[in-house]
Amino acid sequence: MSREIDLVIRQAQIVTPDGIIEGELGIDDGAITSVGIPVKQARRVIEAPGRMIMPGGVDVHAHIEQMSGMGQWNADTFETATRSAAMGGTTSVISFAAQAAEQTLAETLTDYAARAARGAMIDYAFHLTLTDITVPNFEYDLAALIGTGHRSLKVFTTYNIQLADAEILSVMDQARAAGALVCVHAENDAIIARARADLLAAGHRAPRDHARSRPRMAEIEAIERICRFAEYLDQPVMIFHVSTAEGVDAIRAAKARGAPVWCETCPHYLLMTEDVLDKPGLEGAKWMCSPPQRTQADQDALWAGLLEGTVSLVSSDHAPYRFDESGKLAAGANPDFPQIANGLPGLETRLPLLFDAMVAGGRGGPRAFAEATAQAPARLYGFKDKGALVPGKHADLVIWNPTVERTYAANDLHDNVGYNPWAGRTVRGWPEQVMLRGETLVENGKFLAQPGNGRWLDRPDLGCQPVATANGGTAP
Ligand code: DUC
Ligand code: ZN
Ligand code: ZN
């Protein structure tokens, strides 16, 4: 006689890496036990006709309870950010342990780990943001932290916290030796500084001028440079938040040469254009982010890149600042655009926006959606138990109603930001039930989890390993 398991979900379409299966999904002890096979006995049954089951979202780029490059704390705590994430169907997140000035990496990690352990309600890991490689014990701490499972690093090429090229190469060398992925915010600082100075000198100081202050060439140059660094050292690199068609082209070309490079984009580059900044007064500040939103042609190129696999995944780059003196208006009521914090909230809206575009709207379909939002991020960043509806993995899943329509309102998210940048937009498809390791976090709009429920995710291995390069993969 077969053993009784915890839960079976029946009658739904189950989206797996191998295809869409109509049938039953069994869950026991927090893990998926069967997919598409009739379950004889379960303590609990969920009937889900007309529903679609997707893997819980894996959002690998979110700024949570973090100080920005401009020295400003953001609006969310781990509690508010992960509540918001779960309400939108995301069950794992990578946020940043961001090194403050003169801080050792060990201190940085201890700080962020304590905050996350207190507040997180979904599972999490950290990218180690490296801003000063001259602090005591840097090399020792970095190797030790990578060795204990913190397998992704983040460096900037701009934002006043950039590393010099020689320092980036040194970090890449150390990452290669210890086995970590290097994620890069890639924009050329000198181009930005020059454009910004010219704009301010000419009296152009409004949020709409922010887009012109980050010329596309700044992104193109930095992406090309970082791809060459990756190729030279045979060190895996993830280019964050690609916004331009030429950026996608550069990564496609680098991949074709055998360079170990991957990239992501975000919903605000796939679905917005720079006119979002063009609002009366300071209103456009709500949409200010770096790189900025671009053009329709860039959107088209990003979608093409995503669907062909040049762009591996879509993250939110959740960077929450309130539209008040604690956030966007911290420099006063009449700031110049460079004084306005960059970023917009996205943890909660990433999946519904993409479900609407990719599943309801047919851009790629359900399997491409699961790949971009869960499978690829889990695979590349080394979450071996996450990201796919496969027996043995954690039962992190979302039951979607694929036909219901919702229109976002001005302030309907569950973060601490106070505005929704997607207000007025209607999405088709809604995450009705969200589970983490078999436990229900969200059911029909009700949030059921407790702070501290989230677990830190050890990453013993990465899914992106060095590959042979055209120059034979020889690193000095
Ligand atoms: N850009 C970033 O690189 N990070 C946070 C927010 C933003 O706009
Ligand atoms: Zn960035
Ligand atoms: Zn970011």
Side-chain angles (χ1 to χ4, degrees):
M1 204 178 87
S2 64
R3 203 171 59 81
E4 190 178 56
I5 63 167
D6 287 339
L7 172 66
V8 61
I9 308 174
R10 293 195 176 127
Q11 301 186 67
Q13 289 192 306
I14 308 164
V15 181
T16 80
D18 300 321
I20 301 175
I21 297 169
E22 185 109 32
E24 305 192 356
L25 185 126
I27 295 172
D28 197 45
D29 202 17
I32 297 169
T33 50
S34 60
V35 176
I37 299 167
V39 171
K40 292 217 174 71
Q41 299 180 63
R43 278 180 280 285
R44 205 174 139 223
V45 178
I46 296 176
E47 301 291 351
R51 303 299 192 265
M52 196 176 269
I53 309 181
M54 291 283 187
V58 179
D59 192 339
V60 290
H61 183 166
H63 301 266
I64 301 177
E65 213 168 330
Q66 187 200 319
M67 173 103 60
S68 76
M70 290 160 72
Q72 206 175 324
W73 280 100
N74 71 32
D76 272 319
T77 61
F78 276 91
E79 186 174 336
T80 59
T82 57
R83 177 180 66 200
S84 179
M87 290 297 281
T90 286
T91 50
S92 302
V93 67
I94 310 186
S95 60
F96 295 86
Q99 185 190 19
E102 295 177 20
Q103 195 177 39
T104 69
L105 295 184
E107 287 163 351
T108 304
L109 198 273
T110 304
D111 238 23
Y112 279 89
R115 281 186 221 135
R118 263 195 309 274
M121 303 199 251
I122 64 174
D123 290 350
Y124 61 92
F126 298 109
H127 304 296
L128 305 174
T129 303
L130 310 177
T131 59
D132 182 355
I133 74 167
T134 67
V135 295
N137 298 327
F138 180 84
E139 291 198 15
Y140 175 87
D141 282 354
L142 185 59
L145 288 169
I146 295 170
T148 50
H150 301 282
R151 291 207 180 264
S152 47
L153 318 177
K154 157 94 176 280
V155 298
F156 288 82
T157 61
T158 185
Y159 255 141
N160 292 333
I161 46 173
Q162 65 267 32
L163 300 184
D165 283 356
E167 293 177 317
I168 293 174
L169 287 167
S170 165
V171 164
M172 287 173 69
D173 249 348
Q174 292 172 61
R176 190 175 199 279
L181 175 67
V182 177
C183 306
V184 185
H185 177 121
E187 289 181 289
N188 179 297
D189 190 62
I191 293 177
I192 292 168
R194 184 186 151 103
R196 181 173 54 224
D198 286 352
L199 284 161
L200 292 176
H204 299 299
R205 38 190 299 275
R208 77 171 66 83
D209 301 310
H210 170 73
R212 284 194 289 162
S213 80
R214 324 269 316 190
R216 55 196 303 113
M217 193 55 77
E219 174 173 295
I220 299 162
E221 187 283 328
I223 289 178
E224 286 176 347
R225 177 167 29 118
I226 294 297
C227 286
R228 291 294 179 182
F229 286 5
E231 188 175 354
Y232 172 55
L233 293 180
D234 193 21
Q235 161 56 35
V237 159
M238 170 68 70
I239 308 287
F240 272 170
H241 47 50
V242 176
S243 68
T244 58
E246 297 93 326
V248 177
D249 291 344
I251 290 151
R252 187 185 297 110
K255 281 177 176 287
R257 297 193 301 271
V261 297
W262 287 263
C263 77
E264 59 158 42
T265 190
C266 310
H268 43 280
Y269 304 117
L270 289 167
L271 299 169
M272 285 175 176
T273 47
E274 69 178 88
D275 55 294
V276 289
L277 299 174
D278 197 2
K279 304 254 184 344
L282 289 172
E283 182 73 8
K286 292 178 179 172
W287 288 268
M288 274 177 62
C289 58
S290 293
Q293 297 86 351
R294 307 283 184 185
T295 67
Q296 185 60 50
D298 293 303
Q299 275 192 17
D300 295 344
L302 290 166
W303 276 111
L306 182 65
L307 298 181
E308 81 192 14
T310 300
V311 179
S312 293
L313 64 98
V314 183
S315 76
S316 68
D317 196 5
H318 179 83
Y321 296 96
R322 298 181 67 82
F323 189 62
D324 63 24
E325 63 287 349
S326 74
K328 296 276 184 183
L329 308 181
N334 191 23
D336 293 344
F337 69 80
Q339 298 173 291
I340 298 172
N342 284 194
L344 55 164
L347 271 166
E348 189 167 340
T349 49
R350 179 184 71 121
L351 293 180
L353 290 165
L354 291 173
F355 192 98
D356 174 59
M358 300 182 77
V359 184
R363 262 189 141 146
R367 288 175 67 195
F369 169 86
E371 171 70 7
T373 61
Q375 283 161 205
R379 188 173 65 242
L380 290 172
Y381 284 94
F383 289 161
K384 66 177 174 37
D385 297 323
K386 306 288 191 186
L389 300 176
V390 167
K393 300 240 187 222
H394 288 176
D396 297 357
L397 57 87
V398 182
I399 304 177
W400 287 83
N401 182 329
T403 55
V404 72
E405 291 194 354
R406 295 281 175 91
T407 301
Y408 282 120
N411 184 15
D412 56 355
L413 301 179
H414 299 81
D415 55 25
N416 194 30
V417 180
Y419 73 92
N420 183 340
W422 303 93
R425 191 181 185 96
T426 299
V427 292
R428 189 155 199 252
W430 198 252
E432 283 182 341
Q433 189 157 161
V434 182
M435 289 186 189
L436 171 67
R437 290 180 263 106
E439 297 294 325
T440 301
L441 299 181
V442 177
E443 192 167 7
N444 294 321
K446 267 214 180 123
F447 188 73
L448 304 171
Q450 292 301 318
N453 268 2
R455 289 186 194 158
W456 174 72
L457 296 167
D458 187 9
R459 293 181 282 152
D461 296 301
L462 284 170
C464 46
Q465 300 300 348
V467 295
T469 62
N471 70 5
T474 45

